[in-house]
Amino acid sequence: MTDFLPDGVYFDLPEDVYFAQERFSKSDVKKIRVSPADWWAESYLNESPFPLTDAQIEAREKARVLGRAYHCARLEPDRLDERFVRQLEKGDFDSEKLLTSDSAVKARLKELGQQQTIKGETPEERAQRLLGLDDGSLIWSVELARWQEDAGQRQPIAGLFWDQMLVDQDHLRASLPIHQMLSGGAAEVSILWTCQDTGMRLSSRLDYLKGDAWAELKTFSNPNGKELEQCLRDAVMFNGYYIDVAFQLQALRAARDLPAFGSSDGSPYPFESEILEQLNALRDEPSHSIIFQQKGGVPNIVSRSLELWRLPLDAAMIEGALSHDERADLWRNRKIPSAVHQRALIEIESAKRTFLQYSQVYERGEPWLPFDPVGRITDYDFPPYWLEKEVK
C-alpha cells in the first residue's frame, strides 16, 4: 500500500514515490482530454491493467531509466556519475587484444607456448594465469567483473546514449543564457496540493525551480525539416506544453501556502529554503522558460516563454504614456489571460470536471465507460477543405 504524502513542496522526492501518489497532474489533464477511458486504463483506479509481456515491461523500464539519466545529465550534471554509469561494451576495447571466451584464452596460452589447461583449474584461474604473463591480452570476463565492482548500485546506460548525453551536456554549458536558467536552483521539485474549489488532490513536478523563475526542458526532433520556430510552435500545440505551463503556474501559486520538505532530515536544505523565501516574496508571478533541445546531436538549444497575459484594449491604449512603475501597476491590476493561456485554463477546468463527473458515477475499479456511447458524425464535424477537395 502506497504511503500518501501530505500537501507540500518536496525537494529531491524520488520519481517513483511521486508517481505513486494518487493525484491529478498535467499529464492527467492531457490524457483525460483524449478520453476518460484512456485516462482510466492507465490510472491507479484500474485494478486490473492490461497485461504487458516481459519484453514490454523490460523495454518500459529501460526507457524510464534512460529518461531519468537524460534528465539528470541536463538538470543535475554533478550527480550523473553518482547515479548512473556508462555500460561497459566489447566495442570499447581493441578487438585484437580482447579475448571474449575461455576457448580464446586457451588459444592465446598455446600461442605463448604455455600449457592450455591445468588439472583442477577454473576458467577464472586460467584467465588470471594468462594475465600474469603480461602479454597485453584483455579478458572480457575480468574487465566486466572490474566494471561491475566499480559500478556498484549505479544504473548502467548504453554507451551510445551515454556518449550522446555528454555531448548534450556540453551544448547546454556552451549556451550561457540556457546554462544560467538551469543553475542556482533545484531540480525535480514536486508540489502536492489540494484544489480549494473541488477538493481534488493535485500534483506537479517542475524540472527546475529558482526563486523567481522555473524552467521545463523538452527535447524535440525535426524529421520533416520544418523551420525551427514553426517546429517549436507545433510542439507547444500538439504536445500540450501550453497546458503544462498553466498547470505549473497554478502549482506555484499553491506552493506559497505549503510546507516544504527536504530529502534528508525532513527540512529543506539552506538554498532550498532561500528559493521558497524568494518565491513567497515576489509581488508578481515567477517567470517561466520552455527550454528546447534538439535530438540527434543538433546543437539547437533555445528557450521560449509563452505570452500568458495581455492588457484589455482600454488599458493597452494608455500603457505607452505611463511611467515604469505605473505600467507595472497596470499590468499587475488589469492583466487578463492571453488567448493561449485562456485555452489552457479552459482545458484544465474541463479535465477536472470530467474527472469529478466520472468519479461520482463509477466506483473504484469499475471501467470508465463513455457517457455518450451512441451518436452521429455530421458534415460540420469535417474540415471544409476536405469535403470540397476534388476527387480524381
Side-chain angles (χ1 to χ4, degrees):
M1 182 66 180
T2 302
D3 292 328
F4 296 118
L5 299 174
D7 290 354
V9 181
Y10 290 82
F11 291 91
D12 217 10
L13 184 69
E15 184 184 56
D16 57 342
V17 176
Y18 171 79
F19 285 111
Q21 305 303 305
E22 294 187 0
R23 290 175 178 266
F24 201 75
S25 69
K26 59 184 177 67
S27 298
D28 295 308
V29 170
K30 291 184 281 189
K31 177 63 73 172
I32 208 169
R33 293 287 294 157
V34 174
S35 82
D38 277 282
W39 178 86
W40 176 87
E42 297 182 10
S43 77
Y44 56 85
L45 293 179
N46 182 3
E47 298 176 352
S48 301
F50 197 82
L52 299 176
T53 65
D54 291 342
Q56 288 174 320
I57 294 173
E58 182 179 358
R60 175 179 290 188
E61 181 57 28
K62 285 184 177 179
R64 286 174 177 170
V65 171
L66 185 60
R68 288 194 291 266
Y70 266 99
H71 251 223
C72 183
R74 292 177 170 96
L75 302 173
E76 300 177 285
D78 294 339
R79 300 185 62 186
L80 180 64
D81 289 330
E82 297 176 8
R83 299 170 56 188
F84 303 94
V85 63
R86 189 186 191 280
Q87 176 70 56
L88 188 69
E89 298 172 350
K90 294 176 181 177
D92 298 332
F93 301 93
D94 184 340
S95 59
E96 294 183 359
K97 295 182 179 181
L98 185 65
L99 307 178
T100 60
S101 67
D102 186 43
S103 297
V105 171
K106 292 178 182 177
R108 182 56 182 158
L109 286 169
K110 183 178 180 180
E111 291 174 6
L112 296 173
Q114 300 293 314
Q115 187 174 347
Q116 285 187 309
T117 61
I118 297 175
K119 185 177 181 180
E121 184 181 51
T122 66
E124 291 77 14
E125 292 170 338
R126 190 159 33 253
Q128 291 300 325
R129 180 159 61 89
L130 173 59
L131 292 176
L133 299 176
D134 197 22
D135 72 318
S137 294
L138 298 171
I139 301 176
W140 172 247
S141 61
V142 174
E143 298 298 329
L144 184 61
R146 289 173 180 169
W147 174 84
Q148 290 172 334
E149 182 178 2
D150 179 68
Q153 298 301 312
R154 292 180 293 170
Q155 293 182 301
I157 303 297
L160 175 65
F161 298 120
W162 181 271
D163 296 342
Q164 186 60 62
M165 285 192 299
L166 297 186
V167 171
D168 290 344
Q169 273 188 338
D170 290 341
H171 290 167
L172 281 172
R173 292 192 182 102
S175 177
L176 184 58
I178 303 298
H179 181 64
Q180 290 175 337
M181 291 177 184
L182 299 176
S183 302
E188 307 287 7
V189 179
S190 301
I191 302 174
L192 312 182
W193 80 102
T194 301
C195 178
Q196 297 299 316
D197 296 331
T198 64
M200 287 179 61
R201 291 160 52 85
L202 306 173
S203 65
S204 187
R205 191 168 171 93
L206 307 179
D207 282 350
Y208 206 81
L209 177 64
K210 302 173 75 168
D212 60 353
W214 89 93
E216 282 290 295
L217 186 59
K218 307 292 186 182
T219 57
F220 73 99
S221 57
N222 191 8
N224 297 322
K226 297 179 183 177
E227 187 271 328
L228 177 61
E229 293 302 323
Q230 183 62 54
C231 189
L232 302 183
R233 289 192 293 269
D234 288 349
V236 170
M237 283 194 300
F238 298 119
N239 295 326
Y241 294 158
Y242 62 98
I243 292 175
D244 295 354
V245 171
F247 195 89
Q248 289 167 329
L249 185 56
Q250 293 181 354
L252 286 166
R253 288 174 186 155
R256 295 182 181 228
D257 299 319
L258 295 175
F261 302 93
S263 59
S264 55
D265 60 357
S267 61
Y269 303 128
F271 83 95
E272 293 169 348
S273 297
E274 183 178 338
I275 289 174
L276 295 180
E277 289 172 3
Q278 292 175 356
L279 184 65
N280 291 332
L282 288 178
R283 292 189 64 189
D284 299 309
E285 294 167 332
S287 61
H288 74 278
S289 301
I290 306 175
I291 298 174
F292 294 93
Q293 182 166 31
Q294 190 164 346
K295 298 178 181 179
V298 180
N300 269 330
I301 304 176
V302 296
S303 169
R304 297 292 183 266
S305 60
L306 300 184
E307 183 184 47
L308 296 180
W309 306 101
R310 63 179 179 86
L311 288 176
L313 182 60
D314 63 319
M317 291 177 64
I318 65 171
E319 181 186 14
L322 302 177
S323 68
H324 177 273
D325 290 342
E326 288 173 331
R327 286 197 299 271
D329 287 337
L330 183 68
W331 274 96
R332 190 172 295 116
N333 299 319
R334 294 292 308 279
K335 67 183 180 182
I336 59 177
S338 64
V340 68
H341 191 183
Q342 186 64 37
R343 180 181 177 91
L345 295 174
I346 290 172
E347 292 196 40
I348 291 171
E349 292 309 307
S350 175
K352 290 180 181 178
R353 186 165 57 250
T354 300
F355 172 83
L356 292 171
Q357 290 171 341
Y358 275 76
S359 297
Q360 291 167 0
V361 170
Y362 293 109
E363 298 291 336
R364 187 183 183 96
E366 288 185 320
W368 281 18
L369 300 176
F371 285 170
D372 52 351
V374 179
R376 67 174 183 163
I377 299 174
T378 72
D379 286 350
Y380 297 104
D381 296 309
F382 297 98
Y385 74 85
W386 181 77
L387 294 174
E388 297 167 5
K389 184 178 180 180
E390 181 182 359
V391 178
K392 297 181 181 181

